[in-house]
Amino acid sequence: MKTIQKIFLLSLIFVLALGCKKDEEIAMLDGNAVPVVTLSSSNLVLDKEKANTEVLTVSWEKPNYGFAAAPSYTILIDKKGGDFTKAVNVVTGTELKKVFKASELNAILLGFGFLPGTANDLDIKVQSSLGASTVLSSTMTTLKATPYSAKLDLSTTWGVVGSAANNWGATPDLPFYKTDVVNVLVAYVTLIDGEIKFRQNNDWTVNLGGSDGTLSSGGNNIAVKAGTYKITFNPVALTYKIEKYAWGIVGSAANNWGATPDLPLSYDPTVDLWTGVVDLIDGEIKIRKDNDWGTNYGGSGGILKDGGDNIAVKKGKYLITVDFKKLTYTITKYAPWGIVGAATATGWGDKPDQKFTYDLSTETWVLKGVVLKADQFKFRLNDDWGTNYGTTAAAAQAIGTSGALKLGGENFIATAGTYDFELNLKDAANPTYKATKVK
Protein backbone atom coordinates (compact mmCIF):
# COMPACT_ATOMS: atom_id res chain seq x y z
CA MET A 1 0.00 0.00 0.00
CA LYS A 2 2.84 2.41 0.87
CA THR A 3 4.40 1.67 -2.50
CA ILE A 4 1.14 2.59 -4.25
CA GLN A 5 0.93 5.80 -2.22
CA LYS A 6 4.50 6.74 -3.21
CA ILE A 7 3.74 6.18 -6.90
CA PHE A 8 0.61 8.29 -6.58
CA LEU A 9 2.51 11.13 -4.87
CA LEU A 10 5.27 11.05 -7.48
CA SER A 11 2.69 11.17 -10.30
CA LEU A 12 0.91 14.08 -8.64
CA ILE A 13 4.17 16.01 -8.27
CA PHE A 14 4.97 15.36 -11.96
CA VAL A 15 1.56 16.63 -13.12
CA LEU A 16 1.82 19.71 -10.90
CA ALA A 17 5.27 20.40 -12.29
CA LEU A 18 3.94 20.26 -15.83
CA GLY A 19 1.09 22.54 -14.88
CA CYS A 20 3.48 25.02 -13.31
CA LYS A 21 5.66 24.95 -16.43
CA LYS A 22 2.66 25.64 -18.68
CA ASP A 23 1.43 28.40 -16.37
CA GLU A 24 4.93 29.88 -16.44
CA GLU A 25 4.94 29.90 -20.26
CA ILE A 26 1.49 31.47 -20.42
CA ALA A 27 2.53 34.05 -17.85
CA MET A 28 5.56 34.94 -19.97
CA LEU A 29 3.36 35.28 -23.08
CA ASP A 30 1.15 37.78 -21.26
CA GLY A 31 4.05 40.26 -21.41
CA ASN A 32 5.65 41.83 -24.47
CA ALA A 33 6.58 38.61 -26.26
CA VAL A 34 5.45 39.96 -29.63
CA PRO A 35 7.45 40.90 -32.75
CA VAL A 36 8.53 44.53 -33.13
CA VAL A 37 8.39 45.34 -36.83
CA THR A 38 10.84 47.56 -38.72
CA LEU A 39 10.43 48.77 -42.32
CA SER A 40 13.45 49.71 -44.39
CA SER A 41 11.38 52.53 -45.90
CA SER A 42 8.13 54.26 -44.99
CA ASN A 43 7.42 55.83 -48.38
CA LEU A 44 7.99 54.10 -51.73
CA VAL A 45 7.35 55.13 -55.32
CA LEU A 46 7.70 51.97 -57.39
CA ASP A 47 9.34 52.07 -60.81
CA LYS A 48 8.50 49.61 -63.61
CA GLU A 49 12.02 50.00 -65.00
CA LYS A 50 13.32 48.63 -61.69
CA ALA A 51 10.76 45.84 -61.26
CA ASN A 52 13.40 43.30 -60.11
CA THR A 53 15.02 45.69 -57.62
CA GLU A 54 14.67 44.98 -53.88
CA VAL A 55 12.71 47.94 -52.47
CA LEU A 56 11.39 46.97 -49.04
CA THR A 57 12.60 44.86 -46.13
CA VAL A 58 10.14 43.98 -43.37
CA SER A 59 12.12 42.67 -40.38
CA TRP A 60 11.83 41.96 -36.66
CA GLU A 61 13.86 40.55 -33.77
CA LYS A 62 12.87 37.20 -32.32
CA PRO A 63 10.89 37.97 -29.14
CA ASN A 64 11.91 36.54 -25.78
CA TYR A 65 9.14 34.04 -25.10
CA GLY A 66 10.69 32.91 -21.83
CA PHE A 67 11.21 29.36 -23.08
CA ALA A 68 12.61 27.52 -26.10
CA ALA A 69 9.86 28.47 -28.58
CA ALA A 70 9.89 27.59 -32.29
CA PRO A 71 7.50 30.16 -33.78
CA SER A 72 6.36 30.48 -37.39
CA TYR A 73 5.97 34.02 -38.73
CA THR A 74 3.48 35.59 -41.17
CA ILE A 75 3.43 39.15 -42.50
CA LEU A 76 -0.08 40.60 -42.92
CA ILE A 77 -0.62 43.52 -45.31
CA ASP A 78 -3.94 45.36 -45.60
CA LYS A 79 -5.37 48.64 -46.79
CA LYS A 80 -5.11 51.45 -44.24
CA GLY A 81 -7.93 51.04 -41.74
CA GLY A 82 -8.75 47.47 -42.77
CA ASP A 83 -9.50 44.74 -40.26
CA PHE A 84 -7.05 42.23 -41.83
CA THR A 85 -9.81 39.79 -42.77
CA LYS A 86 -8.85 40.37 -46.43
CA ALA A 87 -5.17 40.95 -45.83
CA VAL A 88 -2.40 39.58 -48.01
CA ASN A 89 -0.54 36.94 -45.98
CA VAL A 90 3.16 36.37 -46.63
CA VAL A 91 4.49 33.37 -44.69
CA THR A 92 8.20 33.57 -43.80
CA GLY A 93 8.35 30.46 -41.59
CA THR A 94 11.27 30.82 -39.18
CA GLU A 95 12.84 33.71 -41.14
CA LEU A 96 12.87 37.05 -39.31
CA LYS A 97 12.54 39.19 -42.42
CA LYS A 98 11.10 39.40 -45.91
CA VAL A 99 12.66 41.34 -48.76
CA PHE A 100 10.16 42.51 -51.39
CA LYS A 101 11.07 43.26 -54.98
CA ALA A 102 9.24 46.12 -56.68
CA SER A 103 7.25 43.67 -58.83
CA GLU A 104 6.07 41.71 -55.75
CA LEU A 105 4.92 44.78 -53.85
CA ASN A 106 3.39 46.30 -56.97
CA ALA A 107 1.24 43.19 -57.50
CA ILE A 108 -0.05 43.50 -53.92
CA LEU A 109 -0.94 47.18 -54.40
CA LEU A 110 -2.76 46.58 -57.69
CA GLY A 111 -4.53 43.62 -56.09
CA PHE A 112 -6.06 46.03 -53.58
CA GLY A 113 -7.43 48.05 -56.50
CA PHE A 114 -5.00 50.97 -56.05
CA LEU A 115 -4.47 53.13 -59.12
CA PRO A 116 -1.03 53.37 -60.74
CA GLY A 117 0.74 56.63 -59.94
CA THR A 118 -1.36 57.24 -56.80
CA ALA A 119 0.08 57.06 -53.28
CA ASN A 120 -1.74 54.71 -50.87
CA ASP A 121 -1.36 53.79 -47.20
CA LEU A 122 -0.93 50.19 -46.06
CA ASP A 123 -1.12 48.67 -42.59
CA ILE A 124 1.47 45.99 -41.87
CA LYS A 125 1.86 43.67 -38.92
CA VAL A 126 3.61 40.39 -38.14
CA GLN A 127 2.09 37.39 -36.42
CA SER A 128 4.07 34.72 -34.62
CA SER A 129 2.38 31.35 -34.24
CA LEU A 130 3.42 29.10 -31.37
CA GLY A 131 0.84 26.49 -32.20
CA ALA A 132 -2.73 26.16 -33.32
CA SER A 133 -4.10 28.15 -30.38
CA THR A 134 -1.35 30.69 -29.63
CA VAL A 135 -0.89 33.50 -32.16
CA LEU A 136 0.75 36.78 -31.13
CA SER A 137 0.49 39.94 -33.25
CA SER A 138 2.81 42.92 -33.42
CA THR A 139 1.58 46.47 -33.33
CA MET A 140 0.78 47.88 -36.78
CA THR A 141 3.17 49.95 -38.82
CA THR A 142 2.24 52.01 -41.86
CA LEU A 143 3.76 52.13 -45.33
CA LYS A 144 2.94 54.67 -48.03
CA ALA A 145 3.48 53.21 -51.52
CA THR A 146 2.76 54.23 -55.10
CA PRO A 147 2.32 51.44 -57.68
CA TYR A 148 3.09 51.53 -61.38
CA SER A 149 0.94 50.19 -64.21
CA ALA A 150 1.60 46.51 -64.87
CA LYS A 151 0.56 46.97 -68.49
CA LEU A 152 3.52 46.79 -70.84
CA ASP A 153 4.14 49.87 -72.94
CA LEU A 154 5.71 48.64 -76.15
CA SER A 155 4.16 51.43 -78.22
CA THR A 156 6.16 53.62 -80.58
CA THR A 157 5.42 56.62 -82.77
CA TRP A 158 6.07 54.62 -85.95
CA GLY A 159 3.56 52.83 -88.17
CA VAL A 160 2.98 51.18 -91.55
CA VAL A 161 0.97 53.17 -94.08
CA GLY A 162 0.00 52.41 -97.68
CA SER A 163 -2.47 51.01 -100.18
CA ALA A 164 -1.62 47.55 -98.85
CA ALA A 165 -2.16 48.56 -95.20
CA ASN A 166 -4.77 51.27 -94.59
CA ASN A 167 -5.56 52.96 -97.90
CA TRP A 168 -2.78 55.53 -97.39
CA GLY A 169 -4.01 56.68 -94.00
CA ALA A 170 -7.80 56.34 -94.27
CA THR A 171 -7.51 54.55 -90.92
CA PRO A 172 -4.67 54.72 -88.35
CA ASP A 173 -1.33 53.31 -89.42
CA LEU A 174 -0.50 49.72 -88.43
CA PRO A 175 1.70 50.09 -85.32
CA PHE A 176 5.31 49.15 -84.71
CA TYR A 177 6.29 47.90 -81.25
CA LYS A 178 9.51 48.00 -79.25
CA THR A 179 11.64 44.85 -78.98
CA ASP A 180 14.37 43.76 -76.58
CA VAL A 181 16.93 45.35 -78.91
CA VAL A 182 17.33 49.14 -78.82
CA ASN A 183 16.12 50.87 -82.03
CA VAL A 184 14.77 47.61 -83.47
CA LEU A 185 11.00 47.80 -83.90
CA VAL A 186 8.55 45.15 -85.11
CA ALA A 187 5.07 45.15 -86.63
CA TYR A 188 2.80 42.13 -87.13
CA VAL A 189 0.51 42.98 -90.04
CA THR A 190 -1.92 41.52 -92.54
CA LEU A 191 -1.52 43.21 -95.94
CA ILE A 192 -3.18 43.11 -99.34
CA ASP A 193 -1.48 43.51 -102.72
CA GLY A 194 -0.12 47.05 -102.90
CA GLU A 195 2.55 49.34 -101.50
CA ILE A 196 3.68 50.53 -98.06
CA LYS A 197 5.93 53.06 -96.34
CA PHE A 198 6.88 53.75 -92.71
CA ARG A 199 6.01 57.05 -91.05
CA GLN A 200 5.82 58.76 -87.64
CA ASN A 201 2.72 59.96 -85.79
CA ASN A 202 0.31 59.09 -88.64
CA ASP A 203 1.78 62.07 -90.46
CA TRP A 204 3.82 62.58 -93.66
CA THR A 205 6.36 64.96 -92.11
CA VAL A 206 8.68 62.03 -91.39
CA ASN A 207 8.30 59.08 -93.75
CA LEU A 208 10.67 56.39 -95.00
CA GLY A 209 10.63 54.24 -98.11
CA GLY A 210 13.16 52.27 -100.12
CA SER A 211 14.03 48.84 -101.48
CA ASP A 212 16.14 45.74 -100.79
CA GLY A 213 16.13 46.30 -97.03
CA THR A 214 17.47 49.88 -97.15
CA LEU A 215 15.43 53.01 -96.35
CA SER A 216 15.76 56.73 -97.01
CA SER A 217 13.77 59.79 -96.03
CA GLY A 218 10.88 60.20 -98.47
CA GLY A 219 12.08 57.11 -100.37
CA ASN A 220 10.15 54.98 -102.84
CA ASN A 221 7.03 52.99 -101.93
CA ILE A 222 7.71 49.34 -101.04
CA ALA A 223 5.68 46.82 -103.10
CA VAL A 224 4.16 43.85 -101.20
CA LYS A 225 1.88 40.89 -101.88
CA ALA A 226 -1.17 39.89 -99.83
CA GLY A 227 -0.30 37.97 -96.68
CA THR A 228 0.51 38.11 -92.99
CA TYR A 229 3.95 39.49 -92.20
CA LYS A 230 6.48 40.40 -89.55
CA ILE A 231 8.19 43.68 -90.43
CA THR A 232 11.42 44.45 -88.57
CA PHE A 233 12.54 48.07 -88.83
CA ASN A 234 15.44 50.16 -87.51
CA PRO A 235 14.76 53.92 -87.86
CA VAL A 236 18.36 54.76 -86.89
CA ALA A 237 20.22 52.34 -89.16
CA LEU A 238 17.49 52.88 -91.83
CA THR A 239 17.03 49.17 -92.51
CA TYR A 240 13.99 46.90 -92.74
CA LYS A 241 13.03 43.26 -93.27
CA ILE A 242 9.66 41.84 -94.35
CA GLU A 243 9.01 38.13 -93.79
CA LYS A 244 5.97 35.85 -93.87
CA TYR A 245 4.87 35.39 -90.28
CA ALA A 246 1.74 33.98 -88.63
CA TRP A 247 1.06 31.75 -85.63
CA GLY A 248 -2.00 29.53 -85.42
CA ILE A 249 -3.67 26.49 -83.86
CA VAL A 250 -3.75 23.26 -85.88
CA GLY A 251 -5.09 19.83 -85.01
CA SER A 252 -7.97 17.39 -84.98
CA ALA A 253 -9.68 19.65 -82.42
CA ALA A 254 -9.20 22.75 -84.58
CA ASN A 255 -9.11 22.27 -88.37
CA ASN A 256 -8.63 18.56 -89.10
CA TRP A 257 -4.84 18.92 -89.06
CA GLY A 258 -4.74 21.67 -91.65
CA ALA A 259 -7.66 20.83 -93.95
CA THR A 260 -8.57 24.52 -93.52
CA PRO A 261 -6.33 27.45 -92.43
CA ASP A 262 -5.03 27.31 -88.86
CA LEU A 263 -7.02 29.18 -86.20
CA PRO A 264 -5.08 32.46 -85.95
CA LEU A 265 -3.31 33.89 -82.92
CA SER A 266 -2.78 37.65 -82.60
CA TYR A 267 0.00 39.59 -80.92
CA ASP A 268 -1.00 41.44 -77.73
CA PRO A 269 1.65 44.09 -76.92
CA THR A 270 0.21 44.84 -73.47
CA VAL A 271 1.42 41.44 -72.23
CA ASP A 272 3.89 40.52 -75.01
CA LEU A 273 1.96 37.33 -75.78
CA TRP A 274 0.25 35.71 -78.77
CA THR A 275 -3.41 35.10 -77.96
CA GLY A 276 -6.60 33.81 -79.50
CA VAL A 277 -10.17 32.89 -78.55
CA VAL A 278 -10.99 29.65 -80.38
CA ASP A 279 -13.76 27.07 -80.59
CA LEU A 280 -12.41 23.52 -80.28
CA ILE A 281 -13.87 20.02 -80.38
CA ASP A 282 -12.61 16.92 -78.56
CA GLY A 283 -9.19 16.10 -79.95
CA GLU A 284 -5.61 17.36 -80.06
CA ILE A 285 -3.84 20.55 -81.08
CA LYS A 286 -0.41 22.00 -81.76
CA ILE A 287 0.86 25.52 -82.41
CA ARG A 288 2.63 26.15 -85.70
CA LYS A 289 4.06 28.97 -87.79
CA ASP A 290 2.81 30.09 -91.21
CA ASN A 291 0.34 27.18 -91.66
CA ASP A 292 3.36 24.95 -92.17
CA TRP A 293 4.98 22.07 -90.27
CA GLY A 294 8.48 23.52 -90.57
CA THR A 295 8.08 25.18 -87.15
CA ASN A 296 5.60 23.63 -84.72
CA TYR A 297 5.24 23.35 -80.96
CA GLY A 298 3.55 20.80 -78.72
CA GLY A 299 3.98 19.90 -75.08
CA SER A 300 2.17 19.44 -71.78
CA GLY A 301 1.64 21.12 -68.42
CA GLY A 302 1.94 24.60 -69.89
CA ILE A 303 5.44 23.99 -71.30
CA LEU A 304 6.09 24.04 -75.05
CA LYS A 305 8.68 22.02 -76.90
CA ASP A 306 9.79 22.35 -80.52
CA GLY A 307 8.12 19.43 -82.29
CA GLY A 308 6.63 18.29 -78.96
CA ASP A 309 3.66 16.02 -78.29
CA ASN A 310 0.10 16.86 -79.30
CA ILE A 311 -1.93 18.69 -76.64
CA ALA A 312 -5.23 16.99 -75.76
CA VAL A 313 -8.29 19.24 -75.36
CA LYS A 314 -12.02 18.91 -74.75
CA LYS A 315 -14.82 20.59 -76.68
CA GLY A 316 -15.41 24.21 -75.75
CA LYS A 317 -14.47 27.86 -76.27
CA TYR A 318 -10.98 28.70 -75.01
CA LEU A 319 -8.59 31.60 -74.53
CA ILE A 320 -5.15 30.41 -75.61
CA THR A 321 -2.01 32.40 -74.79
CA VAL A 322 1.52 31.62 -75.96
CA ASP A 323 4.82 33.10 -74.79
CA PHE A 324 7.42 32.27 -77.44
CA LYS A 325 10.22 33.77 -75.35
CA LYS A 326 9.61 31.51 -72.35
CA LEU A 327 8.03 28.71 -74.44
CA THR A 328 4.94 28.50 -72.23
CA TYR A 329 1.20 28.38 -72.96
CA THR A 330 -2.18 28.53 -71.24
CA ILE A 331 -5.53 27.10 -72.35
CA THR A 332 -8.41 28.59 -70.35
CA LYS A 333 -12.17 28.10 -70.68
CA TYR A 334 -13.59 31.29 -72.14
CA ALA A 335 -17.14 32.49 -71.43
CA PRO A 336 -17.52 36.16 -72.41
CA TRP A 337 -19.50 38.76 -70.51
CA GLY A 338 -22.00 40.95 -72.35
CA ILE A 339 -24.32 43.88 -71.87
CA VAL A 340 -28.06 43.29 -72.31
CA GLY A 341 -31.23 45.34 -71.95
CA ALA A 342 -33.62 47.82 -73.51
CA ALA A 343 -30.91 50.49 -73.34
CA THR A 344 -28.73 48.49 -75.75
CA ALA A 345 -28.95 47.90 -79.49
CA THR A 346 -29.64 44.19 -78.92
CA GLY A 347 -32.50 44.47 -76.41
CA TRP A 348 -33.28 41.94 -73.69
CA GLY A 349 -31.71 39.03 -75.53
CA ASP A 350 -33.44 39.49 -78.89
CA LYS A 351 -29.95 39.34 -80.43
CA PRO A 352 -26.61 38.19 -79.01
CA ASP A 353 -25.32 40.55 -76.32
CA GLN A 354 -22.57 43.04 -77.12
CA LYS A 355 -19.50 41.22 -75.79
CA PHE A 356 -16.70 42.31 -73.50
CA THR A 357 -13.12 41.20 -74.20
CA TYR A 358 -10.72 39.98 -71.54
CA ASP A 359 -7.73 42.27 -70.92
CA LEU A 360 -4.82 40.05 -69.89
CA SER A 361 -2.75 42.97 -68.61
CA THR A 362 -5.37 44.11 -66.06
CA GLU A 363 -7.36 40.85 -65.69
CA THR A 364 -10.57 42.78 -66.31
CA TRP A 365 -13.37 42.61 -68.89
CA VAL A 366 -13.51 45.61 -71.22
CA LEU A 367 -16.15 46.90 -73.65
CA LYS A 368 -15.67 50.25 -75.39
CA GLY A 369 -17.90 52.51 -77.44
CA VAL A 370 -21.27 51.13 -76.31
CA VAL A 371 -24.15 53.34 -77.45
CA LEU A 372 -26.97 53.30 -74.87
CA LYS A 373 -30.44 54.76 -74.88
CA ALA A 374 -32.13 56.21 -71.79
CA ASP A 375 -33.37 52.87 -70.49
CA GLN A 376 -32.38 49.81 -68.41
CA PHE A 377 -29.63 47.20 -68.76
CA LYS A 378 -27.59 44.54 -66.95
CA PHE A 379 -24.41 42.51 -67.47
CA ARG A 380 -24.62 38.76 -68.02
CA LEU A 381 -22.36 35.81 -68.80
CA ASN A 382 -22.37 34.05 -72.17
CA ASP A 383 -25.80 35.31 -73.36
CA ASP A 384 -27.47 33.48 -70.48
CA TRP A 385 -29.46 34.63 -67.44
CA GLY A 386 -27.92 31.97 -65.21
CA THR A 387 -25.23 34.44 -64.16
CA ASN A 388 -25.98 38.16 -64.33
CA TYR A 389 -25.00 41.32 -62.48
CA GLY A 390 -27.01 44.39 -61.64
CA THR A 391 -26.82 47.19 -59.11
CA THR A 392 -26.66 46.68 -55.35
CA ALA A 393 -29.43 49.24 -54.81
CA ALA A 394 -32.88 48.13 -53.71
CA ALA A 395 -34.39 49.72 -56.82
CA ALA A 396 -33.13 50.46 -60.33
CA GLN A 397 -30.21 52.87 -60.13
CA ALA A 398 -28.61 55.19 -62.65
CA ILE A 399 -25.21 54.01 -63.85
CA GLY A 400 -22.40 55.89 -62.09
CA THR A 401 -18.72 56.31 -62.83
CA SER A 402 -17.96 53.21 -60.76
CA GLY A 403 -19.50 51.02 -58.11
CA ALA A 404 -20.30 47.59 -56.79
CA LEU A 405 -22.08 44.84 -58.69
CA LYS A 406 -24.63 42.45 -57.24
CA LEU A 407 -25.30 38.95 -58.54
CA GLY A 408 -28.88 38.99 -59.85
CA GLY A 409 -29.23 42.61 -58.71
CA GLU A 410 -31.57 45.34 -59.91
CA ASN A 411 -31.38 46.78 -63.43
CA PHE A 412 -29.20 49.80 -64.10
CA ILE A 413 -30.72 52.89 -65.70
CA ALA A 414 -28.65 54.54 -68.43
CA THR A 415 -28.49 58.16 -69.48
CA ALA A 416 -28.31 58.26 -73.28
CA GLY A 417 -24.75 58.36 -74.55
CA THR A 418 -21.67 56.37 -75.53
CA TYR A 419 -19.83 54.48 -72.78
CA ASP A 420 -16.67 52.53 -72.07
CA PHE A 421 -17.16 49.76 -69.48
CA GLU A 422 -14.77 47.71 -67.36
CA LEU A 423 -15.81 44.80 -65.13
CA ASN A 424 -13.43 43.75 -62.37
CA LEU A 425 -14.47 40.27 -61.26
CA LYS A 426 -11.16 39.10 -59.75
CA ASP A 427 -12.63 39.20 -56.23
CA ALA A 428 -15.81 37.14 -56.59
CA ALA A 429 -17.10 38.45 -53.27
CA ASN A 430 -16.66 42.10 -54.30
CA PRO A 431 -17.22 42.52 -58.06
CA THR A 432 -17.07 46.10 -59.35
CA TYR A 433 -17.58 48.09 -62.56
CA LYS A 434 -16.31 51.31 -64.10
CA ALA A 435 -18.35 53.30 -66.60
CA THR A 436 -16.90 56.20 -68.56
CA LYS A 437 -19.20 58.34 -70.67
CA VAL A 438 -17.18 59.27 -73.75
CA LYS A 439 -19.95 61.07 -75.69
Side-chain angles (χ1 to χ4, degrees), residues 373-384:
K373 298 178 289 187
D375 215 315
Q376 302 182 32
F377 70 92
K378 299 186 80 172
F379 307 114
R380 66 175 182 173
L381 183 65
N382 214 25
D383 293 301
D384 188 91

Side-chain angles (χ1 to χ4, degrees), residues 315-351:
K315 181 179 180 180
K317 184 182 288 288
Y318 294 90
L319 170 64
I320 296 180
T321 71
V322 183
D323 187 329
F324 288 108
K325 293 180 180 178
K326 298 178 181 178
L327 287 182
T328 57
Y329 71 93
T330 66
I331 302 177
T332 309
K333 277 279 192 179
Y334 187 87
W337 284 87
I339 188 169
V340 62
T344 74
T346 57
W348 289 107
D350 306 323
K351 301 177 183 178

Side-chain angles (χ1 to χ4, degrees), residues 75-86:
I75 302 170
L76 279 70
I77 305 174
D78 201 357
K79 296 179 181 180
K80 182 67 177 177
D83 60 5
F84 288 91
T85 58
K86 297 180 180 178

